[in-house]
């Protein structure tokens, strides 16, 4: 079954933001359209507002002539637009004008203008003559035509002037009602043409900016994840930072930190228990060895001493494993030749007693220097030698060799290790023969010490029978 890929939060946010923006835009336009439909507003620009102000001020005097009364509305309008001018005409040919009327508007209007209900009169963009507004309005003086403008020249415009005009005419039925069956498809097309570019621009903007924003917002989370990936048994006390983690993820990081703290506490308790147990075992083992050495030299007493030695070695290996849990900060320059000679000399009596000859082969040069913890390297080599004594068959020669490349080899002439088992024997408590004397910790301990020093331990195929174990550490330049 194919494993389902995890969802990308970044692209989920991008898709949802695009859909949300499109939906919000559509809802906003729909609400605006509904509000306009219900309120049915009538917006007035300046010139149209002038007509509205004049509409209630036009009257006739006692002789029937046209007059404009100075109403409060008209007075306020004049204060706002001091350049107001207008021409008022009725159907009888009477006219009334006020303000600085441009010459172009003083000419006699044609028949077309007489039949227009309302219109905006404009000139070319580079023409300084102002536009005017024409509308037939019902006043106290009857139906009159008003031609007006709030300025006599385009030079009177202050700053920037923006004119926006829109005309929407819906198809009508013969009876004058609106024909929505014909108008709605065209209206939908117009709305789509207006909305589609906006949605596309918003979508592209979201697609480009959101990933960058998400990556920047989650940068702290990425750093925290990288730190979490580096946590191992030696850094179990590390706590992940939550300062740069998004607020929604912070509880998960805090819970993870609490879990790490509990695990570290439990692991430390376990280690202390093993260390204490190994220390406590050494005292009764020493007492047993002392008492066994006082027994009469018999085969049973010899085997008892060997078993006691196994227990002592196992307790020491447990202590060595616990020693690796402590940081090896205090490193110094170690001479492998001198260290190998010393360990070989220490183990010579034990090897000879077990039936072996012990040989030491130093490097051609007098010294081979590495930087590390001398006691740990010594314990690693001691474990390799002890394994050779325990599993070398009880005869032949055990050789300890040091070469210029930082290699320390322990060779025996016993049954050897089959190639298929050469990695398995490095597992803790793994033994080729269940009834063997060893505990299965020596090779594992040696490899862990070598890895702490940037080196390695491996089993080689030697020129003769027997096991050939090589520990190699990085050397210092001579």
């Amino acid at each position: 079954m194919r494993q389902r890929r995890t969802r990308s939060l970044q692209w989920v946010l991008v898709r949802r933001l695009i859909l949300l923006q499109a939906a919000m835009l559509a809802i906003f336009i729909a609400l605006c359209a509904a509000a306009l439909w219900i309120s049915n507003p009538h917006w007035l620009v300046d010139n149209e507002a002038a007509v509205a102000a004049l509409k209630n001020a036009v009257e006739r005097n006692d002789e029937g002539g046209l007059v404009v009364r100075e109403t409060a509305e008209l007075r306020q309008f004049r204060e706002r637009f001091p350049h107001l001018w207008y021409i008022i005409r009725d159907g009888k040919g009477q006219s009334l004008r006020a303000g600085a009327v441009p010459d172009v508007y003083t000419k006699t209007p044609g028949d077309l203008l007489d039949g227009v209900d309302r219109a905006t009169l404009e000139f070319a963009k580079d023409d300084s003559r102002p536009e005017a507004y024409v509308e037939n309005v019902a006043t106290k003086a009857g139906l009159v035509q008003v031609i007006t403008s709030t300025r006599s020249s385009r030079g009177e415009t202050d700053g920037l002037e923006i004119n926006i005009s829109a005309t929407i005419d819906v198809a009508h039925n013969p009876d004058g009602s609106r024909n929505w069956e014909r108008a709605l498809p065209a209206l939908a097309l117009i709305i789509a043409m207006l909305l589609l570019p906006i949605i596309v621009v918003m979508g592209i903007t979201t697609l480009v900016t959101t990933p960058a924003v998400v990556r920047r917002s989650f940068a702290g989370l990425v750093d925290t994840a990288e730190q979490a990936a580096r946590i191992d048994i030696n850094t179990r006390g590390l706590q992940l930072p939550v300062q740069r983690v998004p607020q929604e993820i912070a509880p998960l990081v805090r819970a993870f930190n609490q879990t790490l703290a509990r695990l570290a506490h439990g692991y430390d308790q376990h280690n202390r228990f093993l260390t204490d147990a190994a220390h406590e075992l050494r005292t009764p083992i020493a007492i047993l060895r002392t008492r066994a050495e006082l027994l009469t030299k018999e085969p049973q007493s010899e085997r008892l001493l060997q078993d006691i030695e196994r227990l002592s070695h196992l307790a020491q290996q447990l202590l060595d494993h616990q020693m690796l849990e402590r940081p090896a900060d205090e490193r110094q320059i170690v001479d492998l030749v001198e260290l190998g000679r010393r360990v070989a000399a220490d183990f010579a009596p034990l090897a000879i007693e077990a039936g072996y000859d012990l040989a030491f082969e130093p490097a051609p040069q007098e010294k081979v220097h590495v930087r590390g913890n001398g006691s740990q390297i010594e314990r690693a080599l001691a474990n390799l030698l002890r394994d050779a004594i325990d599993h070398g068959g009880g005869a032949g020669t055990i050789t300890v060799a040091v070469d210029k490349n930082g290699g320390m080899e322990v060779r025996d002439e016993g049954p050897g290790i089959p190639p298929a088992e050469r990695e398995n024997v490095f597992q803790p408590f793994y033994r080729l023969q269940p009834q063997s004397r060893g505990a299965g910790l020596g090779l594992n301990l040696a490899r862990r010490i070598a890895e702490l020093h940037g080196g390695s331990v491996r089993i080689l195929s030697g020129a003769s029978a027997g096991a050939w174990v090589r520990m190699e550490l990085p050397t210092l330049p001579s």
Side-chain angles (χ1 to χ4, degrees):
M1 183 177 178
R2 187 176 180 181
Q3 187 177 5
R4 184 178 179 183
R5 294 181 59 187
T6 57
R7 294 189 304 171
S8 170
L9 179 59
Q10 172 177 303
W11 295 111
V12 169
L13 289 175
V14 169
R15 290 194 297 269
R16 292 184 177 178
L17 280 174
I18 292 175
L19 294 176
L20 178 63
Q21 290 175 349
M24 292 299 295
L25 181 61
I27 293 174
F28 175 75
I29 293 178
L31 291 176
C32 290
L36 293 176
W37 182 267
I38 295 173
S39 61
N40 191 22
H42 179 65
W43 292 298
L44 297 179
V45 296
D46 296 343
N47 292 344
E48 295 180 34
V51 174
L54 290 168
K55 178 180 179 180
N56 297 324
V58 177
E59 299 178 0
R60 291 189 182 274
N61 55 22
D62 297 338
E63 291 80 17
L66 294 173
V67 293
V68 175
R69 303 295 183 184
E70 191 68 16
T71 62
E73 180 182 4
L74 182 58
R75 184 168 53 255
Q76 293 176 0
F77 193 83
R78 287 184 187 276
E79 292 175 357
R80 290 179 54 198
F81 302 99
H83 301 292
L84 174 67
W85 61 264
Y86 54 84
I87 301 174
I88 301 175
R89 301 187 305 129
D90 62 7
K92 301 178 180 179
Q94 295 186 28
S95 64
L96 176 65
R97 65 182 63 186
V101 180
D103 294 340
V104 67
Y105 293 106
T106 60
K107 300 176 182 179
T108 303
D111 295 337
L112 178 60
L113 190 58
D114 292 338
V116 171
D117 185 64
R118 67 184 64 187
T120 299
L121 307 178
E122 297 180 352
F123 297 92
K125 294 181 179 180
D126 56 353
D127 196 326
S128 63
R129 292 175 294 185
E131 72 280 354
Y133 180 67
V134 180
E135 183 178 355
N136 294 332
V137 295
T139 65
K140 297 178 181 179
L143 185 63
V144 299
Q145 185 179 68
V146 179
I147 304 175
T148 184
S149 177
T150 57
R151 57 186 179 174
S152 301
S153 172
R154 291 188 181 181
E156 298 169 356
T157 302
D158 294 330
L160 180 67
E161 182 180 88
I162 299 176
N163 292 322
I164 299 177
S165 61
T167 302
I168 300 176
D169 192 10
V170 179
H172 289 74
N173 293 316
D175 59 357
S177 61
R178 294 183 175 90
N179 189 342
W180 290 111
E181 294 181 359
R182 294 176 56 190
L184 285 178
L187 186 60
L189 179 61
I190 293 173
I191 294 176
M193 292 174 62
L194 294 175
L195 288 181
L196 186 60
I198 299 176
I199 294 176
V200 170
V201 171
M202 293 174 62
I204 294 176
T205 303
T206 302
L207 192 65
V208 172
T209 59
T210 302
V213 172
V214 171
R215 283 195 300 269
R216 185 172 181 179
S217 300
F218 284 0
L221 180 60
V222 173
D223 293 341
T224 301
E226 292 176 352
Q227 294 186 35
R230 292 193 294 268
I231 295 177
D232 56 19
I233 195 66
N234 297 318
T235 57
R236 56 186 177 273
L238 180 67
Q239 293 287 292
L240 300 179
V242 296
Q243 289 79 7
R244 297 182 60 199
V245 175
Q247 185 178 1
E248 294 78 8
I249 310 296
L252 177 61
V253 177
R254 293 192 185 97
F256 185 75
N257 285 337
Q258 294 172 1
T259 302
L260 288 177
R262 291 194 298 269
L263 290 175
H265 179 69
Y267 191 84
D268 291 339
Q269 284 184 326
H270 177 71
N271 283 345
R272 284 195 297 271
F273 171 78
L274 291 179
T275 303
D276 294 342
H279 274 292
E280 292 297 325
L281 283 173
R282 298 178 71 178
T283 300
I285 290 173
I287 295 173
L288 284 175
R289 180 186 292 111
T290 302
R291 291 178 178 177
E293 290 174 348
L294 297 176
L295 297 175
T296 307
K297 298 294 183 180
E298 296 180 357
Q300 292 293 338
S301 61
E302 292 295 330
R303 285 195 294 270
L304 179 60
L305 283 172
Q306 292 176 359
D307 291 338
I308 293 174
E309 184 63 26
R310 277 186 63 192
L311 285 174
S312 177
H313 181 56
L314 178 59
Q316 183 61 47
Q317 284 183 324
L318 290 175
L319 285 174
D320 290 342
H321 269 273
Q322 297 311 112
M323 176 183 65
L324 297 182
E325 300 298 329
R326 303 170 187 169
D329 295 332
E330 298 182 359
R331 295 195 174 191
Q332 55 189 356
I333 298 176
V334 179
D335 180 10
L336 295 184
V337 176
E338 175 61 27
L339 185 145
R341 182 181 289 110
R342 184 173 65 253
V343 173
D346 291 342
F347 274 81
L350 184 62
I352 294 172
E353 184 181 355
Y356 300 97
D357 293 329
L358 186 63
F360 177 67
E361 296 179 359
Q365 62 268 37
E366 295 181 358
K367 298 180 181 296
V368 177
H369 289 147
V370 299
R371 183 176 295 278
N373 188 307
S375 61
Q376 289 183 351
I377 299 174
E378 184 175 339
R379 292 308 307 166
L381 182 59
N383 277 275
L384 296 181
L385 260 174
R386 184 58 186 257
D387 280 357
I389 293 173
D390 289 342
H391 306 292
T397 301
I398 295 177
T399 303
V400 178
V402 180
D403 59 45
K404 63 179 181 180
N405 297 320
M408 305 179 71
E409 296 180 358
V410 177
R411 312 165 192 157
D412 63 50
E413 298 176 357
I417 301 174
E421 298 286 352
R422 289 182 179 176
E423 280 300 319
N424 295 332
V425 293
F426 287 101
Q427 299 298 322
F429 300 105
Y430 184 87
R431 292 178 289 185
L432 292 177
Q433 298 177 1
Q435 301 301 324
S436 64
R437 297 175 58 190
L441 289 174
L443 287 175
N444 174 264
L445 179 63
R447 171 170 278 186
R448 290 184 61 188
I449 291 174
E451 290 176 347
L452 285 175
H453 290 77
S456 63
V457 175
R458 63 185 188 277
I459 299 174
L460 307 178
S461 297
S464 59
W468 190 333
V469 184
R470 177 180 177 83
M471 178 173 66
E472 187 170 326
L473 303 176
T475 60
L476 296 176
S478 57

